[in-house]
Amino acid sequence: MVNGLEVVREEPVVIDLAKSARAMARIMDERKVKFAVIRERGHLLGVIDRSELDEFVAGRKGRSIRGLVRYGGTLSAASSNEDAIRMIKARPKVRAIPVLQGSQVVGIVRRVR
């Protein structure tokens, strides 16, 4: 924990935006994750939060899945935990950031409350 903020590095779940919201939710359930990295035609769009996806599926939030995807930047696989904490701290609305090695998603760093 640094300055009251803790991050956790996790294996990424990468889902294509073309999937339905219910399919995304099912994949996230199977993998037991709170966040998934969303791609469209091979390009990283950002991260989707499972709780917001549930709200969308229930008809209580948003008009499109794309509107739920948050882009808060990316981290390099070589980034330290301190780098991750600084990046998340600088973006209060961002709860998870993809970790890349080149253009491949190799992890996800998420804020722990």
Side-chain angles (χ1 to χ4, degrees):
M1 185 176 299
V2 176
N3 296 327
L5 188 63
E6 184 179 5
V7 296
V8 174
R9 290 182 183 247
E10 300 177 333
E11 290 293 316
V13 172
V14 181
I15 303 173
D16 194 270
L17 185 65
K19 298 254 186 230
S20 71
R22 291 186 195 286
M24 288 182 183
R26 187 172 48 253
I27 292 166
M28 292 174 81
D29 273 349
E30 289 168 0
R31 297 284 302 273
K32 296 179 174 59
V33 296
K34 295 180 182 182
F35 300 96
V37 177
I38 303 300
R39 286 189 171 227
E40 182 177 41
R41 294 186 212 114
H43 299 284
L44 185 135
L45 295 180
V47 175
I48 196 163
D49 181 318
R50 176 56 202 266
S51 61
E52 289 186 353
L53 183 60
D54 287 344
E55 294 275 321
F56 177 81
V57 169
R60 295 187 301 262
K61 184 164 187 135
R63 294 184 185 185
S64 73
I65 295 172
R66 181 184 289 276
L68 301 178
V69 178
R70 306 246 187 274
Y71 181 79
T74 62
L75 286 161
S76 160
S79 298
S80 68
N81 282 349
E82 289 77 19
D83 292 336
I85 288 170
R86 274 193 295 279
M87 191 168 188
I88 286 180
K89 195 170 185 176
R91 296 162 175 83
K93 292 186 178 185
V94 172
R95 295 182 55 213
I97 298 173
V99 178
L100 304 179
Q101 186 159 354
S103 62
Q104 183 178 358
V105 179
V106 295
I108 191 164
V109 174
R110 68 177 173 90
R111 183 185 303 255
V112 176
R113 293 179 184 212

